[in-house]
Every structure is written in C-alpha cells, then in structure tokens.
Amino acid sequence: MTYRYDFADTPFGDALCVFSDEGLVAFDLPEGMHRDSPWALEAIARMLHAVPEPDPGASAEIDELLHAYFSGEPIRFDRELTLDWRLANGFTRSALQSVCEIPWGESASYGEVAAMAGSPGAARAVGTACRNTPFSIVVPVHRVVRADGSPGEYGAHPERKRYLLDLEADAAARARPVQHVRPGV
C-alpha cells in the first residue's frame, strides 16, 4: 500500500489530506500545523506504519468540495469522495458512518447516533469516535450534540463546532422556500 499527502485550505487553516491507494484515509486539522511543519505527518505515519509521500495537487477535488461546503452548499463528502476507513474499526467505524447520515443543517445527540449505529446506550463511545475521527469535517462529527441540544466540544475548539453548525443552519434556512400567508385566509 502506498500513501501520499497534500494540503487543503479551510477557514481553520491548513488541513492535512492523506490518501491511500483506496481513497482518502485521513483529513486532519492538526493544532498549529503549517504546510512546512516537519512534524505534520508524524502521527499519521505512526498510525499507518508508513510515511506518506508528498503529492502536490492531490487535494484538488477536496479543495473544490471544501470551497462549495464553506460557501453554504450541502456537500456530502462521503458520497463525493472515496473514503478509506482503515483507521476506524469496529464500533468507531459504525458510529462515524452513522454520523454521515445526519442531514445537512441538522444535528443528532450522541445517544441518537449510538442507536443509529446499533448500540443504544453507547453515547460515550460515540463521543470517543467523534473525537478520534480520521476525517475531520469530511465526516460531520460537528453535527453530533449533547442530549440537551447544546453543542459540546469539538476537540479543543468548540468555536469551530459552533461555526460549522451555524454555517449549515444558516445555509439550510436560506434554502427553505418562503411560505407566504395571506391575511384572513
């Protein structure tokens, strides 16, 4: 198996995109990472047991999708990209694949996702799966909220989660048809 990498631009900074022969294997927004950070690949190389090779331009498709997404288009990354799930196994994979089913502009609680993944009562495990996703943004773990509807955390960046939830909610609200009601009818 060969691995290659490139970077994509997001409003949060550079995202590391790692590809296998089978598809996107990781999309990560490492803390304080820049394209020239020498440590950018260390964690992913440990997980893959291989060092990805640079492949400038490999993220072109993701860049286009991200641009559309951050412009308010309801992009479903898991349908637009081939995802290589090798870094997510067992319940984690089931939970993350269930997260992909949460519609654009909507949210589901950790408990609801646990039930969707076939393990009611595994809300904490869903939280762990979301925290450890190899596909930040691409798998919309930001749509998973606490049982009381509050957003909760998003790694160390709850402001990013709020930004993504607001982006989708605002775009979804703009997309809904306006219903006109005639007075007295």
Side-chain angles (χ1 to χ4, degrees):
M1 180 67 61
T2 60
Y3 300 99
R4 58 198 200 303
Y5 74 93
D6 194 11
F7 295 92
D9 294 320
T10 76
F12 311 122
D14 291 334
L16 175 63
C17 306
V18 180
F19 303 89
S20 72
D21 297 335
E22 297 175 17
L24 180 68
V25 73
F27 184 89
D28 192 21
L29 291 161
E31 185 68 35
M33 186 193 73
H34 300 286
R35 292 173 191 245
D36 58 350
S37 297
W39 54 268
L41 293 172
E42 286 179 11
I44 193 73
R46 276 193 306 274
M47 289 186 280
L48 295 172
H49 306 290
V51 178
E53 296 293 323
D55 188 4
S59 69
E61 182 180 11
I62 294 173
D63 277 325
E64 288 179 31
L65 292 169
L66 287 167
H67 177 74
Y69 174 82
F70 286 110
S71 295
E73 289 185 38
I75 299 298
R76 181 125 178 220
F77 292 98
D78 67 312
R79 290 195 178 151
E80 299 290 331
L81 301 169
T82 301
L83 301 182
D84 177 344
W85 290 93
R86 77 182 58 239
L87 297 178
N89 299 299
F91 180 75
T92 295
R93 182 173 175 166
S94 296
L96 294 175
Q97 288 175 328
S98 294
V99 166
C100 290
E101 300 304 319
I102 303 169
W104 165 271
E106 296 182 24
S107 61
S109 71
Y110 292 96
E112 290 170 327
V113 172
M116 290 167 56
S119 295
R124 287 186 150 195
V126 170
T128 300
C130 290
R131 184 176 60 251
N132 295 325
T133 182
F135 303 112
S136 182
I137 301 174
V138 171
V139 170
V141 297
H142 58 276
R143 295 180 191 153
V144 184
V145 299
R146 293 178 175 158
D148 66 3
S150 63
E153 299 296 315
Y154 190 68
H157 299 282
E159 74 282 357
R160 289 181 183 175
K161 185 170 191 170
R162 174 53 45 206
Y163 176 90
L164 295 168
L165 289 169
D166 290 347
L167 169 82
E168 291 184 14
D170 292 347
R174 286 191 309 272
R176 281 189 211 104
V178 177
Q179 295 190 9
H180 299 281
V181 178
R182 292 190 330 210
V185 177

